[in-house]
């Protein structure tokens, strides 16, 4: 199934010797946009026919993307700045918040086959309201690509003396061929590199356990390098949690994999639930352990390499391996860092291309293909690396987390509260044809929460409000989303009912297809809307890219019903249906047995 549309030659029955060419489709996509082996349904629902991976395969690929060493740098930065006790409390608190907000989002993405942007649309933000969150998410991917790329460039500089400026360029270029090929290539890279990554991750801690067994005890009383002290500081706890919460948008990258989870069935529900939990919010369990582990390695290496280099993951890695590997410690550590950073940066680049695609398709009504936005995302990331963003790590991540958590908390509030008490539809509606441009429930909650928390972050409300600005963002978003939905009586979730696959519609098989009246390609029912302008079915992407329809379906939903054809059933279902009819009416000849309708029926 692709977005490409090709002309079909037909020969009318009454003129067998005359060949006529049917008119071309009203829209045909560029070659790169039409190739779903690269495009991966970047702007639409992932159909069941494309979700060919097992739950464990999807989970393994998703978890492979959290190999990044930014956790090491973030954890070390928090503990060095605020001391061990405050740092530990910060990291664990942030992990709990990220885990709890990630559960409903992960389940929604896996259940409905949608990425984070499409879920956001239907979870309280509206069609254009989620455009802003696409930018927030895109910024997450290029900020962390730059951070991970900087770590990789530092490793290459340590290993072979390569200037970091050239290293930044190489770290950017090396991921392009992999990301260009899409989910299939990413899955292979994550699987092939996993053994090397696991060995490199565990070995330094094994070495230190034998060589400096008392180091953990000393680490527990570490007061930081800024004079914070070993005890709990509420200011340090709040600020450290804010830095750790900058990773909350990682659930979006996990969702980019989770949307390919196969359908949940009685046979696989246990494995499905476990895989979604592990690959969705479960990433933060490993992430929090890595933050503490990275802080520990930096603490052990502090005296040998100094504070600046201790915050760069490559130097503590080398120092930890030296007692056992000697001169081989440097190349071994460099290999581990490079493998880790490639594993995460292919994910950052891939997710960024999806987010930019979603953003520009709504703004420009054009879609040249996901792969072109890889270059935009990487260009921004490369610029940040050349500007040495690593030096301003704590402040940058602390600011970003105020926006990120307001967004994620608002979406989680809609999924957990609004949908359960009937303030929003029970399903995720993502198609333009059925959504208001902006839904104040989620979008308004995010805007208010992030604005107030950013003002607090810059000290407008005092020192404690500055330290706990991310808690302000999360609390306001969680309260305001259901409050606004209640005040507006849920009016702005649906501009009109969905007669194709809405909850009131009885559907025999969700994998049945309609042929889009614009691109003339068949798509499964969740990706189809009824279009009064086209007088028939339209796929979600053609609907998004239409710049001339005037949103008639939303602005005048009472203009009249759209006569939709009977959907085409999957071959297996169609054959089963024909067999049943033949058994019930055996005297009827085969020529009058009902057949599965054609796409244009």
């Amino acid at each position: 199934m692709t977005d490409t549309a090709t002309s079909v030659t037909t020969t009318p029955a009454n003129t067998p010797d005359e060949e006529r060419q049917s008119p071309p489709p009203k829209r045909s996509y560029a070659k790169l946009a039409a190739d779903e082996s690269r495009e991966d349904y970047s702007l639409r629902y992932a159909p069941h026919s494309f979700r060919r991976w097992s739950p464990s395969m999807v989970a393994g690929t998703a978890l492979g993307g959290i190999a990044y060493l930014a956790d090491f740098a973030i954890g070390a930065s928090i503990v060095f700045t605020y001391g061990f006790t405050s740092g530990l409390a910060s990291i664990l608190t942030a992990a709990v918040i990220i885990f709890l907000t990630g559960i409903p989002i992960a389940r929604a993405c896996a259940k409905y086959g949608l990425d984070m942007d499409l879920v956001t649309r239907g979870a309280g933000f509206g069609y254009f309201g989620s455009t802003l969150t696409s930018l927030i998410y895109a910024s997450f991917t290029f900020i962390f690509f730059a951070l991970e790329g900087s770590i990789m460039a530092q490793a290459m500089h340590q290993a072979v003396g390569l200037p970091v400026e050239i290293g930044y360029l190489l770290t950017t270029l090396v991921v392009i061929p992999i990301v260009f090929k899409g989910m299939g290539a990413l899955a292979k890279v994550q699987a092939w590199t996993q053994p090397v990554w696991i060995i490199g991750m565990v070995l330094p801690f094994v070495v230190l356990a034998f060589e400096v067994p008392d180091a953990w005890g000393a680490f527990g009383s570490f007061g930081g390098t800024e004079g914070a002290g070993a005890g709990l500081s509420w200011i340090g706890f709040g600020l450290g949690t804010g830095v750790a919460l900058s990773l909350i948008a990682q659930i979006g990258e996990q969702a980019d994999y989770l949307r390919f989870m196969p359908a949940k069935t009685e046979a696989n529900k246990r494995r499905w639930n476990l895989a979604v939990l592990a690959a969705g919010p479960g990433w933060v369990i490993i992430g929090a352990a890595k933050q503490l582990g990275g802080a520990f390695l930096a603490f052990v290496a502090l005296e040998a390499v100094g504070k600046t280099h201790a915050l760069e993951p490559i130097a503590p890695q080398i120092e930890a391996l030296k007692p056992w590997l000697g001169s081989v410690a440097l190349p071994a550590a460099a290999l581990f860092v490079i493998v880790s950073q490639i594993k995460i940066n292919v994910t950052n680049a891939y997710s960024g291309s999806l987010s930019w695609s979603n953003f520009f398709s709504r703004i420009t009504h054009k879609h040249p293909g996901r792969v072109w936005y890889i270059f935009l995302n990487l260009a921004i990331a490369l610029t940040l690396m050349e500007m040495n963003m690593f030096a301003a790590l704590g402040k940058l991540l602390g600011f970003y987390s105020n926006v990120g958590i307001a967004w994620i908390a608002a979406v989680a509030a809609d999924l957990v509260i609004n949908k359960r008490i009937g303030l929003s539809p029970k399903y995720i509606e993502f198609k333009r044809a059925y959504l208001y441009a902006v839904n104040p429930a989620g979008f308004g909650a995010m805007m208010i929460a992030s604005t107030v928390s950013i003002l607090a972050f810059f000290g407008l409300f005092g020192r404690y409000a500055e330290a706990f600005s991310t808690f302000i963002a999360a609390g306001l978003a969680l309260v305001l989303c259901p409050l606004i939905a209640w005040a507006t009586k849920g009016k702005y979730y649906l501009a009109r009912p969905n007669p194709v696959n809405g909850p009131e519609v009885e559907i025999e098989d969700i994998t049945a297809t309609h042929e889009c009246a614009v691109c003339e390609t068949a798509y499964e029912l969740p990706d189809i809307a009824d279009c009064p302008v086209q007088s028939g079915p339209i796929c979600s992407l053609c609907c998004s890219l239409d710049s001339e329809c005037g949103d008639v379906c939303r602005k005048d939903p009472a203009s009249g019903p759209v006569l939709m054809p009977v959907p085409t059933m999957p071959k297996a279902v169609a054959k089963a249906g024909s067999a049943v009819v033949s058994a019930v009416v055996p005297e009827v000849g085969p020529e009058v047995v009902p057949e599965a309708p054609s796409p244009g029926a």
Side-chain angles (χ1 to χ4, degrees):
M1 186 183 295
T2 68
D3 262 340
T4 190
T6 56
S7 299
V8 180
T9 302
T10 60
T11 305
N14 60 342
T15 55
D17 298 324
E18 181 182 357
E19 291 189 355
R20 296 180 183 177
Q21 186 133 8
S22 65
K26 299 172 185 177
R27 173 179 286 117
S28 58
Y29 294 107
K31 183 178 180 181
L32 290 176
D35 184 359
E36 293 297 358
S37 66
R38 290 191 177 95
E39 191 66 6
D40 286 345
Y41 296 87
S42 60
L43 299 180
R44 58 168 90 243
Y45 158 84
H48 290 277
S49 60
F50 192 74
R51 299 187 223 171
R52 57 183 180 271
W53 296 278
S54 67
S56 58
M57 181 66 175
V58 175
T61 303
L63 288 174
I66 64 165
Y68 54 86
L69 297 184
D71 271 335
F72 279 27
I74 290 171
S77 176
I78 292 172
V79 173
F80 275 31
T81 304
Y82 307 113
F84 173 80
T85 303
S86 298
L88 175 65
S90 299
I91 291 168
L92 295 181
T93 300
V96 170
I97 294 172
I98 291 171
F99 186 87
L100 293 178
T101 55
I103 292 173
I105 294 172
R107 293 185 66 85
C109 292
K111 178 180 179 180
Y112 294 103
L114 305 175
D115 65 19
M116 190 66 201
D117 176 77
L118 301 185
V119 167
T120 301
R121 289 186 196 179
F125 281 71
Y127 182 72
F128 275 108
S130 66
T131 303
L132 179 59
T133 63
S134 290
L135 281 180
I136 295 171
Y137 183 35
S139 66
F140 174 86
T141 64
F142 63 66
I143 286 172
F144 277 89
F145 186 102
L147 176 56
E148 307 294 351
S150 297
I151 293 171
M152 184 172 169
Q154 292 162 2
M156 291 190 290
H157 177 70
Q158 286 269 66
V160 297
L162 185 73
V164 290
E165 293 78 12
I166 298 177
Y168 295 152
L169 180 61
L170 288 180
T171 63
T172 304
L173 296 177
V174 71
V175 304
I176 293 176
I178 303 169
V179 181
F180 196 85
K181 293 182 179 180
M183 171 67 176
L186 266 65
K188 291 178 182 177
V189 168
Q190 301 297 2
W192 293 344
T193 55
Q194 202 72 344
V196 174
W197 181 80
I198 292 174
I199 293 171
M201 177 61 67
V202 173
L203 186 58
F205 298 98
V206 174
V207 174
L208 293 179
F210 282 95
E211 298 296 326
V212 282
D214 299 331
W216 277 108
F219 181 52
S221 59
F222 180 52
T225 58
E226 309 299 321
L232 178 66
S233 162
W234 287 108
I235 295 290
F237 165 69
L239 291 171
T241 304
V243 174
L245 281 173
S246 64
L247 292 165
I248 196 166
Q250 177 65 31
I251 189 62
E253 294 197 349
Q254 304 307 111
D256 288 336
Y257 294 112
L258 287 171
R259 65 197 177 105
F260 298 122
M261 194 68 72
K264 182 180 178 181
T265 64
E266 281 298 318
N268 74 359
K269 66 178 181 180
R270 188 172 181 179
R271 287 180 290 114
W272 192 94
N273 287 328
L274 183 60
V276 171
L277 188 67
W283 76 267
V284 78
I285 298 174
I286 301 173
K290 286 165 57 189
Q291 289 175 39
L292 292 172
F296 173 67
L297 293 180
F299 164 75
V300 174
L302 180 60
E303 186 176 345
V305 302
K307 175 189 172 183
T308 301
H309 291 301
L311 294 174
E312 300 170 356
I314 180 66
Q317 194 83 7
I318 295 170
E319 291 301 315
L321 294 176
K322 273 183 180 179
W324 284 12
L325 300 186
S327 61
V328 182
L330 173 58
L335 175 63
F336 168 67
V337 172
I338 290 171
V339 167
S340 298
Q341 302 317 89
I342 289 177
K343 283 170 73 67
I344 180 55
N345 266 355
V346 294
T347 299
N348 282 329
Y350 177 76
S351 295
S353 69
L354 297 178
S355 190
W356 285 117
S357 296
N358 275 300
F359 174 77
F360 282 109
S361 68
R362 279 170 286 176
I363 299 299
T364 66
H365 295 285
K366 297 183 185 301
H367 180 54
R370 172 191 67 82
V371 296
W372 292 109
Y373 295 112
I374 297 171
F375 301 101
L376 171 63
N377 208 49
L378 297 188
I380 298 173
L382 179 60
T383 302
L384 289 176
M385 283 189 278
E386 297 292 354
M387 292 171 61
N388 192 26
M389 66 151 287
F390 197 85
L393 175 64
K395 202 68 176 176
L396 177 65
L397 297 184
F399 171 78
Y400 176 83
S401 64
N402 286 277
V403 182
I405 194 169
W407 163 37
I408 298 298
V411 173
D414 182 86
L415 295 174
V416 174
I417 301 173
N418 295 6
K419 292 193 180 303
R420 292 195 177 188
I421 64 176
L423 292 175
S424 70
K426 297 294 185 183
Y427 75 114
I428 303 293
E429 181 54 73
F430 69 95
K431 296 180 285 293
R432 173 190 180 188
Y434 306 116
L435 295 174
Y436 282 99
V438 176
N439 185 344
F443 183 77
M446 182 196 73
M447 293 299 295
I448 295 171
S450 59
T451 300
V452 173
S453 66
I454 288 172
L455 292 175
F457 177 77
F458 284 110
L460 188 65
F461 307 127
R463 182 64 172 156
Y464 277 92
E466 176 185 349
F468 288 89
S469 62
T470 49
F471 289 86
I472 294 173
L476 283 176
L478 285 170
V479 171
L480 288 175
C481 182
L483 187 62
I484 296 173
W486 171 79
T488 57
K489 298 181 179 178
K491 174 184 176 181
Y492 296 99
Y493 280 91
L494 291 178
R496 65 186 180 103
N498 179 350
V500 179
N501 72 306
E504 298 83 11
V505 181
E506 292 186 9
I507 300 174
E508 181 179 351
D509 190 337
I510 199 70
T511 65
T513 61
H514 275 305
E515 184 178 276
C516 174
V518 179
C519 66
E520 299 181 5
T521 305
Y523 290 100
E524 291 180 9
L525 294 182
D527 208 26
I528 291 291
D530 61 313
C531 178
V533 173
Q534 301 297 334
S535 299
I538 187 171
C539 72
S540 63
L541 183 54
C542 285
C543 180
S544 291
L545 300 182
D546 195 323
S547 60
E548 300 177 353
C549 69
D551 292 323
V552 172
C553 62
R554 289 188 290 150
K555 293 178 180 178
D556 186 18
S559 58
V562 177
L563 185 61
M564 296 286 284
V566 177
T568 301
M569 302 299 291
K571 290 183 179 179
V573 176
K575 288 180 179 178
S578 295
V580 170
V581 172
S582 298
V584 174
V585 196
E587 69 276 10
V588 178
E591 68 278 0
V592 295
V593 173
E595 296 179 354
S598 65

